[in-house]
Structures are given as structure tokens and as C-alpha cells.
Amino acid sequence: MTRINIQFTRFSAFYSPLISTMSGGFLADEGLKPAHSIAPPGTTAIKALLDGSADVVQSALSQGLSTLEKGETPATVHFAQINEMDGFFLTGREADPDFTWDKLAGKKVLVDHGGQPLAMFKYACHKAGIDYGGIDAVDAGNGAEMDAAFRDGQGDYIHQQGPAPQQLEHDGAGHVVASVGEPIGPCGFSSLAATPAWLETDMAKAFMRAYHKTRAYINETPAAEIAAAETSFFPAIDQGVLTATIQFYQGLGCWTPHVEITQAAYEVTLDVFEHVGRLSKRHAYEDVCVPPPAED
């Protein structure tokens, strides 16, 4: 078995297409022994690619765009999609089956202020027809700090990635009222990145064979079965919560079967970052993305 080092910038059930390459045994079937890690706070997994401690990482197209905006040429490339929609949720204090986004006006919302989550949230507000400036958007810190603050009574709503909101609901601490991805629609949200040199290797080809099989598995396998295989990766999350989260993501359509980053998804990502004023120009697809490596 050949060791393959995988690093995540964020780690949640939203990234099940990559997690399941490990938990579903698809990498092992290709002779690869996975070792995974999570980027330390304050950095991204791209650093692990650059120092050689990771072969492939979970990242986002916005990383490449940010590098280009600095006038630099990215040393890494994005070669396959993980999620083709935003996977964050809004959770409120009370159940609200008739929730509409205009109910956020004047409310205190604990918003994830990470670069991409915040940009996507602002764009979702725009698409939903509400003024982000009319929301009392609170920066309560990182994901764990936000969760603790909401549980402690701060805020009317909280903006989180699954399975954190589903765990809040399970614990009776809140009620999921909306998906942030639904107003935005398909986009290039999260992706797989590597160095151009690694993409030429036999390991990259073996990884892509495994990843292609995983994307079929993640869409065709019952959520409970996927969650059972992933349980060891989420020791603090109730398995029923994990199942519900995976089931929602399957229905949302963020785990489309194709592996490539499409031009259409990339263009929506440009729309998002253009809307929030973080682009000086619409950078070419080829400056950020490349096709997946050949699998033969």
C-alpha cells in the first residue's frame, strides 16, 4: 500500500465525497493508504501542498482567485469539485416552516466570517432579495465559538455548515430554517487541489479512479450506510444527526456525479466574489482550474 496524504481546510459531513474515499474503502481498493489531517487554525490546506506534507487537499476556487488578486500566479491548481453548492444552513430559536429570508431584517445573526462563507452568505441575501446591511451580522469567532455562543443564548439565528446545525436541532438548542445554498444554486463551492506535478503521477490517476467511484457511491448509497461508515470521523456527532445531514446534502444536489469543475459553476463563483467587491476582474477559468487527471 502506498500512503496518500490528504488535508482538509475544514472538516465536516459536507465533505463526504472526499471522506468517503477513505471510509468507503475506495482508496484502499486502488492500493492507497490514506492519512488525513486538518489545516491548523489560521492557515489553509494549500500550505501543506506547498511544503509537501499533503498530496491532495480540500480547498475552494476562491483560494485561487485570492492569489490572482494579489498579482501572483497560483502554484497549485483545482482539478475536481467536491461540492457544487453552498452547504451552510440558517438555524433559528424556533421552528419556522414558513421561514422567508426577509425575517432576518433587524435580527442578530451569528454569521461565519470566513472568507468564502461570508461572501456566499451575502450573495444568498442578494439572491433572496434582502439587504445584508439590514441584518445585525455578528462575528462570534470560529465554528466552535459560534456554536457555543448560540447555545449560550446569543443571537436570533446562526449560520453553520452541517452537521453542526443538525446537532443543535437534535439537542433542542435550535431549529434549522433554511439552506443557504438554495437561493444561490449550483456554483464552484469547494474543490480538490494539488500541484501540477502531482497530477502527472500514477498516484493521481489511482486517486481519481477511487474518487470517481466514490461520487457514484455518495449519491446511490443510503445515507444511513454512509454515516455508519463515517462514524469514526465524527465521534462527537450523533449518528442519526450525521445520517440526516448526509441525506439532506444528497437531496440538495451538491454532490453531482461528475468530477470536473464546470465552466458554469466557476462563473457563478465569479458572480459571488464580484458581488462582494473582492475581484478586480473576472479571471479566466484556466487560471484557476484544470481538468481531472487521466484515470488510465
Side-chain angles (χ1 to χ4, degrees):
M1 298 284 277
T2 301
R3 177 180 169 121
I4 181 170
N5 294 306
I6 300 170
Q7 188 167 105
F8 293 77
T9 298
R10 286 181 177 241
F11 195 84
S12 80
F14 187 47
Y15 305 108
S16 286
L18 182 53
I19 296 168
S20 289
T21 62
M22 301 181 284
S23 63
F26 298 102
L27 290 173
D29 289 346
E30 294 293 337
L32 298 175
K33 182 179 181 180
H36 83 281
S37 59
I38 303 170
T43 186
T44 74
I46 295 297
K47 182 178 178 182
L49 290 179
L50 299 178
D51 68 20
S53 59
D55 299 300
V56 60
V57 303
Q58 171 263 312
S59 186
L61 302 185
S62 57
Q63 176 276 324
L65 297 173
S66 297
T67 301
L68 291 166
E69 283 294 308
K70 296 175 185 176
E72 302 172 2
T73 300
T76 60
V77 289
H78 298 259
F79 67 91
Q81 55 128 338
I82 302 176
N83 296 292
E84 212 167 32
M85 289 184 74
D86 186 303
F88 280 73
F89 299 86
L90 279 171
T91 303
R93 294 287 173 190
E94 306 293 336
D96 188 358
D98 300 317
F99 174 83
T100 52
W101 282 68
D102 58 350
K103 293 183 179 182
L104 297 181
K107 299 296 185 182
K108 191 179 293 292
V109 185
L110 307 187
V111 177
D112 189 315
H113 276 61
Q116 178 160 290
L118 180 59
M120 290 280 176
F121 182 76
K122 289 181 177 180
Y123 191 68
C125 289
H126 166 68
K127 294 290 282 184
I130 68 166
D131 178 17
Y132 174 78
I135 298 170
D136 184 3
V138 178
D139 183 355
N142 63 29
E145 291 166 341
M146 287 174 62
D147 193 83
F150 190 77
R151 289 174 183 271
D152 196 41
Q154 297 182 41
D156 301 300
Y157 296 92
I158 185 170
H159 167 232
Q160 295 172 297
Q161 197 174 75
Q166 288 77 15
Q167 188 66 49
L168 280 177
E169 194 165 64
H170 176 268
D171 296 342
H175 298 268
V176 177
V177 297
S179 157
V180 178
E182 288 175 347
I184 300 172
C187 65
F189 189 86
S190 53
S191 52
L192 292 172
T195 63
W198 183 81
L199 292 176
E200 297 296 325
T201 66
D202 288 340
M203 180 187 286
K205 295 176 182 178
F207 174 85
M208 282 311 301
R209 289 193 295 269
Y211 191 59
H212 231 133
K213 293 171 187 173
T214 307
R215 291 201 73 89
Y217 160 86
I218 208 75
N219 283 290
E220 298 169 1
T221 305
E225 186 175 330
I226 297 170
E230 290 187 0
T231 297
S232 64
F233 291 89
F234 298 99
I237 300 297
D238 179 86
Q239 190 168 325
V241 168
L242 189 57
T243 297
T245 306
I246 291 169
Q247 188 171 40
F248 182 89
Y249 283 139
Q250 286 177 321
L252 183 62
C254 55
W255 298 336
T256 43
H258 65 269
V259 298
E260 70 276 7
I261 300 164
T262 68
Q263 181 79 43
Y266 177 77
E267 293 296 331
V268 176
T269 301
L270 293 183
D271 292 343
V272 171
F273 287 93
E274 196 170 52
H275 173 74
V276 298
R278 287 177 52 187
L279 292 184
S280 60
K281 60 179 281 189
R282 292 180 73 89
H283 299 281
Y285 174 92
E286 295 77 15
D287 291 341
V288 178
C289 308
V290 297
E295 297 175 32
D296 55 4

